[in-house]
Protein backbone atom coordinates (compact mmCIF):
# COMPACT_ATOMS: atom_id res chain seq x y z
CA UNK A 1 0.00 0.00 0.00
CA UNK A 2 1.33 3.42 -0.90
CA UNK A 3 2.13 5.44 2.16
CA UNK A 4 3.42 8.87 3.04
CA UNK A 5 4.79 9.36 6.54
CA UNK A 6 5.64 12.75 8.01
CA UNK A 7 7.64 13.78 11.02
CA UNK A 8 7.42 15.32 13.46
CA UNK A 9 3.66 15.26 14.01
CA UNK A 10 3.87 18.65 15.68
CA UNK A 11 6.54 21.26 16.24
CA UNK A 12 6.82 24.48 18.22
CA UNK A 13 9.50 27.00 17.34
CA UNK A 14 10.25 30.62 18.16
CA UNK A 15 9.69 33.35 15.62
CA UNK A 16 12.75 33.92 13.47
CA UNK A 17 14.10 30.38 13.87
CA UNK A 18 14.50 27.86 11.07
CA UNK A 19 12.95 24.41 10.97
CA UNK A 20 12.90 21.32 8.78
CA UNK A 21 9.97 18.98 8.25
CA UNK A 22 10.44 15.44 6.98
CA UNK A 23 8.48 13.26 4.60
CA UNK A 24 9.14 9.59 3.74
CA UNK A 25 7.10 7.82 1.10
CA UNK A 26 6.73 4.34 -0.32
CA UNK A 27 4.81 5.37 -3.45
CA UNK A 28 6.70 3.87 -6.37
CA UNK A 29 6.95 4.84 -9.08
CA UNK A 30 5.80 8.34 -8.44
CA UNK A 31 5.00 11.33 -10.62
CA UNK A 32 5.59 14.21 -8.28
CA UNK A 33 5.75 15.27 -4.67
CA UNK A 34 4.06 18.35 -3.33
CA UNK A 35 4.15 20.28 -0.11
CA UNK A 36 0.95 22.05 0.91
CA UNK A 37 0.36 24.56 3.70
CA UNK A 38 -3.01 24.36 5.38
CA UNK A 39 -4.26 26.93 7.82
CA UNK A 40 -6.82 25.68 10.33
CA UNK A 41 -10.25 25.37 8.74
CA UNK A 42 -8.96 26.36 5.30
CA UNK A 43 -8.07 24.50 2.14
CA UNK A 44 -4.48 23.40 1.42
CA UNK A 45 -2.34 25.82 -0.57
CA UNK A 46 0.51 24.53 -2.70
CA UNK A 47 4.02 25.57 -1.69
CA UNK A 48 6.20 23.46 -3.99
CA UNK A 49 5.87 20.63 -6.47
CA UNK A 50 8.77 18.47 -7.66
CA UNK A 51 9.12 15.63 -10.14
CA UNK A 52 11.46 12.70 -9.51
CA UNK A 53 14.22 14.45 -11.45
CA UNK A 54 14.25 17.55 -9.28
CA UNK A 55 16.33 17.73 -6.10
CA UNK A 56 15.30 21.07 -4.71
CA UNK A 57 12.71 23.76 -5.21
CA UNK A 58 12.28 27.05 -3.41
CA UNK A 59 9.32 29.32 -2.85
CA UNK A 60 10.39 32.34 -0.85
CA UNK A 61 11.36 31.20 2.64
CA UNK A 62 10.28 27.64 1.86
CA UNK A 63 12.78 25.20 0.32
CA UNK A 64 11.84 21.63 -0.49
CA UNK A 65 14.33 18.87 -1.21
CA UNK A 66 13.78 15.47 -2.73
CA UNK A 67 15.90 12.33 -2.71
CA UNK A 68 14.15 9.89 -5.03
CA UNK A 69 16.65 7.14 -4.21
CA UNK A 70 15.87 7.12 -0.51
CA UNK A 71 12.28 8.27 -1.07
CA UNK A 72 12.66 11.17 1.29
CA UNK A 73 11.70 14.82 1.09
CA UNK A 74 12.13 17.72 3.43
CA UNK A 75 10.64 21.18 3.73
CA UNK A 76 12.90 23.82 5.23
CA UNK A 77 11.40 27.03 6.54
CA UNK A 78 13.80 29.91 7.02
CA UNK A 79 13.34 32.83 9.43
CA UNK A 80 9.93 31.64 10.57
CA UNK A 81 7.07 34.06 11.00
CA UNK A 82 3.94 33.85 13.12
CA UNK A 83 1.94 33.38 9.92
CA UNK A 84 3.83 30.16 9.23
CA UNK A 85 1.77 28.50 11.97
CA UNK A 86 -0.21 25.89 10.05
CA UNK A 87 -0.24 22.24 9.04
CA UNK A 88 2.22 21.24 6.36
CA UNK A 89 1.18 18.28 4.27
CA UNK A 90 3.39 16.16 2.02
CA UNK A 91 1.48 14.70 -0.92
CA UNK A 92 2.66 12.20 -3.50
CA UNK A 93 1.04 11.22 -6.78
CA UNK A 94 1.70 8.06 -8.77
CA UNK A 95 1.68 7.80 -12.57
CA UNK A 96 -0.48 4.70 -12.47
CA UNK A 97 -3.13 6.50 -10.43
CA UNK A 98 -3.90 9.44 -12.67
CA UNK A 99 -4.29 12.53 -10.56
CA UNK A 100 -4.91 10.62 -7.36
CA UNK A 101 -2.93 11.87 -4.41
CA UNK A 102 -1.57 10.09 -1.34
CA UNK A 103 -1.53 12.45 1.62
CA UNK A 104 0.81 12.37 4.57
CA UNK A 105 -0.58 12.96 8.03
CA UNK A 106 0.88 16.45 8.17
CA UNK A 107 3.11 18.32 10.57
CA UNK A 108 1.39 20.91 12.75
CA UNK A 109 3.78 23.84 13.17
CA UNK A 110 3.28 26.53 15.76
CA UNK A 111 5.50 29.61 15.66
CA UNK A 112 5.56 31.53 18.93
CA UNK A 113 6.67 35.14 19.42
CA UNK B 1 -9.95 33.91 -12.12
CA UNK B 2 -7.37 31.60 -10.58
CA UNK B 3 -9.14 30.11 -7.62
CA UNK B 4 -11.62 27.51 -6.51
CA UNK B 5 -14.55 28.93 -4.57
CA UNK B 6 -16.83 27.07 -2.22
CA UNK B 7 -20.13 28.03 -0.64
CA UNK B 8 -21.27 28.17 2.02
CA UNK B 9 -18.24 28.66 4.29
CA UNK B 10 -20.11 27.17 7.23
CA UNK B 11 -23.20 24.97 7.37
CA UNK B 12 -25.11 23.61 10.34
CA UNK B 13 -27.80 21.07 9.59
CA UNK B 14 -29.99 18.56 11.33
CA UNK B 15 -30.01 14.88 10.49
CA UNK B 16 -33.30 15.22 8.60
CA UNK B 17 -32.29 18.22 6.50
CA UNK B 18 -31.36 18.32 2.84
CA UNK B 19 -28.62 20.74 1.91
CA UNK B 20 -26.07 21.24 -0.87
CA UNK B 21 -22.46 22.32 -1.03
CA UNK B 22 -21.30 24.21 -4.07
CA UNK B 23 -17.89 24.44 -5.72
CA UNK B 24 -16.93 26.59 -8.69
CA UNK B 25 -13.81 27.17 -10.77
CA UNK B 26 -13.22 29.13 -13.95
CA UNK B 27 -9.69 27.97 -14.73
CA UNK B 28 -10.74 25.56 -17.47
CA UNK B 29 -9.96 22.57 -15.28
CA UNK B 30 -11.68 19.39 -16.35
CA UNK B 31 -11.18 17.28 -13.21
CA UNK B 32 -12.93 18.16 -9.97
CA UNK B 33 -12.79 16.46 -6.60
CA UNK B 34 -14.60 16.28 -3.29
CA UNK B 35 -12.62 15.54 -0.14
CA UNK B 36 -13.68 15.11 3.48
CA UNK B 37 -11.27 16.20 6.19
CA UNK B 38 -11.67 15.51 9.88
CA UNK B 39 -9.74 17.57 12.43
CA UNK B 40 -6.00 16.88 12.51
CA UNK B 41 -6.30 14.35 9.69
CA UNK B 42 -5.35 14.57 6.02
CA UNK B 43 -8.10 14.99 3.40
CA UNK B 44 -9.86 11.80 2.30
CA UNK B 45 -10.96 11.53 -1.30
CA UNK B 46 -14.71 11.06 -1.82
CA UNK B 47 -15.47 11.62 -5.50
CA UNK B 48 -13.70 12.52 -8.73
CA UNK B 49 -15.32 13.97 -11.80
CA UNK B 50 -13.41 13.94 -15.07
CA UNK B 51 -14.87 15.83 -17.99
CA UNK B 52 -18.16 16.10 -16.08
CA UNK B 53 -18.47 12.35 -15.61
CA UNK B 54 -18.13 10.61 -12.27
CA UNK B 55 -14.93 8.59 -12.52
CA UNK B 56 -14.25 7.67 -8.93
CA UNK B 57 -16.53 7.06 -5.95
CA UNK B 58 -14.50 5.99 -2.95
CA UNK B 59 -17.32 3.88 -1.46
CA UNK B 60 -19.04 6.97 -0.11
CA UNK B 61 -22.46 6.43 1.57
CA UNK B 62 -25.44 7.31 -0.59
CA UNK B 63 -26.43 10.13 1.75
CA UNK B 64 -23.73 12.06 -0.14
CA UNK B 65 -24.71 12.66 -3.76
CA UNK B 66 -22.36 14.51 -6.11
CA UNK B 67 -23.42 16.37 -9.21
CA UNK B 68 -21.44 18.10 -11.94
CA UNK B 69 -23.85 20.29 -13.95
CA UNK B 70 -21.06 21.68 -16.14
CA UNK B 71 -17.31 21.90 -16.36
CA UNK B 72 -17.14 24.80 -13.89
CA UNK B 73 -19.52 23.61 -11.20
CA UNK B 74 -19.51 20.76 -8.72
CA UNK B 75 -22.21 20.18 -6.14
CA UNK B 76 -22.46 17.82 -3.20
CA UNK B 77 -26.02 17.10 -2.12
CA UNK B 78 -26.47 16.07 1.49
CA UNK B 79 -29.40 14.16 2.94
CA UNK B 80 -29.99 12.35 6.23
CA UNK B 81 -26.45 12.93 7.45
CA UNK B 82 -25.09 11.66 10.73
CA UNK B 83 -23.19 13.67 13.38
CA UNK B 84 -20.00 11.80 12.42
CA UNK B 85 -20.26 13.40 8.97
CA UNK B 86 -19.31 16.72 10.54
CA UNK B 87 -16.06 17.76 8.89
CA UNK B 88 -14.39 20.20 6.53
CA UNK B 89 -15.45 19.42 2.96
CA UNK B 90 -12.89 20.43 0.40
CA UNK B 91 -13.32 20.82 -3.31
CA UNK B 92 -10.36 20.71 -5.68
CA UNK B 93 -9.78 20.95 -9.39
CA UNK B 94 -6.93 20.12 -11.73
CA UNK B 95 -6.15 20.96 -15.34
CA UNK B 96 -6.59 18.41 -18.12
CA UNK B 97 -3.63 16.19 -18.84
CA UNK B 98 -2.32 12.65 -18.95
CA UNK B 99 -1.52 10.42 -16.02
CA UNK B 100 2.13 11.38 -16.05
CA UNK B 101 1.55 15.09 -16.45
CA UNK B 102 2.64 17.70 -13.95
CA UNK B 103 -0.90 18.17 -12.75
CA UNK B 104 -1.59 19.95 -9.54
CA UNK B 105 -4.80 20.06 -7.57
CA UNK B 106 -6.01 23.47 -6.55
CA UNK B 107 -8.09 23.41 -3.40
CA UNK B 108 -10.97 25.60 -2.38
CA UNK B 109 -11.24 27.08 1.13
CA UNK B 110 -13.67 24.38 2.23
CA UNK B 111 -17.10 24.25 3.83
CA UNK B 112 -17.18 23.58 7.55
CA UNK B 113 -20.15 21.25 8.07
CA UNK B 114 -21.71 20.53 11.44
CA UNK B 115 -24.44 17.90 11.71
CA UNK B 116 -26.55 18.12 14.85
Amino acid sequence: KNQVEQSPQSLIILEGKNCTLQCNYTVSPFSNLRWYKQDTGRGPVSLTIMTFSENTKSNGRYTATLDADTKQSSLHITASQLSDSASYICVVSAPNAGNMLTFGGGTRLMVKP
Amino acid sequence: DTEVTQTPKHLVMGMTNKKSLKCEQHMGHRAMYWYKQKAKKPPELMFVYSYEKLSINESVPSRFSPECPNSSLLNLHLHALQPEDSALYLCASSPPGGESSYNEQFFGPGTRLTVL
Side-chain angles (χ1 to χ4, degrees):
Chain A
K1 180 181 177 182
N2 290 332
Q3 285 190 313
V4 179
E5 302 285 341
Q6 291 187 242
S7 63
Q9 284 190 334
S10 60
L11 181 63
I12 301 174
I13 62 173
L14 292 177
E15 186 180 12
K17 298 296 186 182
N18 303 336
C19 66
T20 300
L21 315 180
Q22 301 291 342
C23 173
N24 296 336
Y25 60 93
T26 59
V27 179
S28 182
F30 89 109
S31 289
N32 51 67
L33 183 146
R34 315 130 190 260
W35 283 93
Y36 283 94
K37 177 186 178 186
Q38 185 175 23
D39 293 312
T40 301
R42 305 286 294 175
V45 175
S46 178
L47 295 175
T48 64
I49 180 168
M50 293 181 289
T51 65
F52 65 88
S53 61
E54 295 176 288
N55 299 121
T56 185
K57 181 122 350 147
S58 290
N59 178 1
R61 295 180 296 103
Y62 301 102
T63 299
T65 65
L66 174 63
D67 186 333
D69 292 330
T70 62
K71 296 185 173 58
Q72 295 179 325
S73 176
S74 67
L75 180 69
H76 187 75
I77 304 175
T78 304
S80 60
Q81 300 176 358
L82 298 179
S83 58
D84 292 332
S85 296
S87 286
Y88 291 84
I89 307 174
C90 175
V91 183
V92 179
S93 67
N96 58 352
N99 288 331
M100 297 306 101
L101 306 180
T102 302
F103 289 80
T107 293
R108 286 178 292 284
L109 173 67
M110 181 179 293
V111 180
K112 290 194 168 183
Chain B
D1 192 346
T2 58
E3 63 176 1
V4 176
T5 59
Q6 288 186 245
T7 55
K9 289 185 179 179
H10 303 277
L11 178 62
V12 180
M13 61 186 291
M15 289 189 285
T16 58
N17 292 156
K18 284 185 181 181
K19 296 287 184 182
S20 296
L21 308 184
K22 180 180 174 181
C23 173
E24 196 165 357
Q25 57 86 17
H26 296 286
M27 296 180 280
H29 293 176
R30 300 312 298 269
M32 296 185 77
Y33 312 76
W34 279 116
Y35 289 87
K36 174 184 178 181
Q37 186 176 26
K38 302 286 277 185
K40 299 183 180 180
K41 297 289 186 183
E44 296 175 4
L45 183 66
M46 300 174 71
F47 302 104
V48 181
Y49 272 83
S50 180
Y51 291 87
E52 296 145 60
K53 287 186 174 17
L54 183 64
S55 60
I56 293 179
N57 176 341
E58 292 286 350
S59 302
V60 179
S62 60
R63 57 186 184 268
F64 295 92
S65 175
E67 178 197 19
C68 190
N70 59 58
S71 60
S72 299
L73 278 177
L74 184 66
N75 298 320
L76 186 63
H77 302 298
L78 315 172
H79 175 54
L81 294 194
Q82 304 297 311
E84 58 265 29
D85 295 322
S86 298
L88 181 69
Y89 287 83
L90 294 166
C91 174
S93 68
S94 60
E99 288 189 352
S100 61
S101 64
Y102 202 66
N103 283 343
E104 178 172 354
Q105 290 188 21
F106 294 79
F107 286 85
T111 292
R112 171 69 62 188
L113 174 68
T114 301
V115 182
L116 302 176

